[in-house]
Amino acid sequence: MSRLFFLFFFVLIDILGFSIVLPLLPYLSTEYGMTPTMVGLLQSSNAMAQLLAVPIIGSLSDQYGRKPMLLICVFATFVSFVILAFANNVFWLFFSRILDGLVGGNISLAQAYIADITTEEDRAKGMGYLGAAFGVGFILGPALGGTLVSHNYHYPACAAVVLTFINFIGLFFLPESLPPEKRQYKNDKSFVLILKNLASCLK
């Protein structure tokens, strides 16, 4: 149960960090003279990067464990928010959002962690905790981001940096959920199979 509550707050903080910067992006887009098409691409670049990366991150977590991949993903998200906080042109805005998307497997890894530590009877309850954290984060994040951005454009990104750093430190106290004997070690062709499965889903 303690690990479920930890993951609840992990996902809550992760979604707060993600959604708190959403009100910031239109202001930065206006500041740098971006066209409506570029604004749309900026908003969707994160999700597009996640679409490509999450299956690969999931496969790697099956081989090397959930905790190492969570640490890598959260640290990279932390770096992406630092870049966003100090971005001074369109290139760094896109780079920040795409980097966050490419390593944005935090929620998927948390779901995999829940699946590892719960029985079939309790799994829906565990996933429900994550769903609740997701909803609360998306309610509070944009509201807090909107308040911060009214004072300074950089405040939401700085807040996201702090929140993500808290998550990163907290992960060191989270035990691994997938022991070595249960990991699925795959050959070098696994990456190709992931790409083929992704391509079939997009057809």
Side-chain angles (χ1 to χ4, degrees):
M1 182 62 68
S2 60
R3 286 191 287 181
L4 286 179
F5 280 115
F6 182 96
L7 288 172
F8 172 87
F9 287 106
F10 169 83
V11 172
L12 174 61
I13 293 173
D14 186 75
I15 295 300
L16 274 174
F18 171 80
S19 61
I20 201 172
V21 302
L22 295 180
L24 165 68
L25 298 179
Y27 286 93
L28 292 179
S29 303
T30 302
E31 182 177 340
Y32 298 129
M34 298 172 63
T35 65
T37 301
M38 291 181 68
V39 173
L41 288 173
L42 178 64
Q43 297 279 20
S44 61
S45 60
N46 181 274
M48 293 169 64
Q50 281 196 43
L51 177 65
L52 296 174
V54 166
I56 299 171
I57 292 172
S59 178
L60 291 173
S61 76
D62 289 339
Q63 299 180 60
Y64 303 108
R66 314 301 185 201
K67 184 174 180 177
M69 294 308 300
L70 275 168
L71 285 168
I72 292 170
C73 288
V74 173
F75 181 75
T77 298
F78 168 78
V79 172
S80 75
F81 284 138
V82 171
I83 293 172
L84 181 64
F86 294 97
N88 56 8
N89 57 51
V90 173
F91 170 80
W92 289 113
L93 288 179
F94 272 95
F95 184 83
S96 168
R97 305 313 298 147
I98 292 172
L99 174 62
D100 183 42
L102 289 175
V103 291
N106 305 344
I107 304 301
S108 298
L109 291 172
Q111 290 174 332
Y113 194 105
I114 290 288
D116 292 338
I117 66 173
T118 56
T119 62
E120 291 186 5
E121 292 78 13
D122 293 331
R123 192 155 298 148
K125 179 181 178 180
M127 296 299 178
Y129 276 109
L130 297 192
F134 196 94
V136 172
F138 256 114
I139 291 172
L140 299 179
L144 180 58
T147 301
L148 293 174
V149 79
S150 64
H151 297 285
N152 188 291
Y153 287 171
H154 297 286
Y155 282 0
C158 291
V161 168
V162 173
L163 290 170
T164 308
F165 183 74
I166 292 172
N167 256 358
F168 180 70
I169 297 300
L171 282 174
F172 286 98
F173 301 95
L174 183 70
E176 174 60 59
S177 66
L178 191 65
E181 62 271 15
K182 292 186 178 181
R183 295 176 188 176
Q184 302 175 15
Y185 296 99
K186 302 175 183 179
N187 56 34
D188 293 336
K189 296 181 179 179
S190 60
F191 178 75
V192 177
L193 292 175
I194 291 171
L195 293 182
K196 286 183 177 179
N197 291 335
L198 180 61
S200 65
C201 292
L202 295 176
K203 289 182 179 179

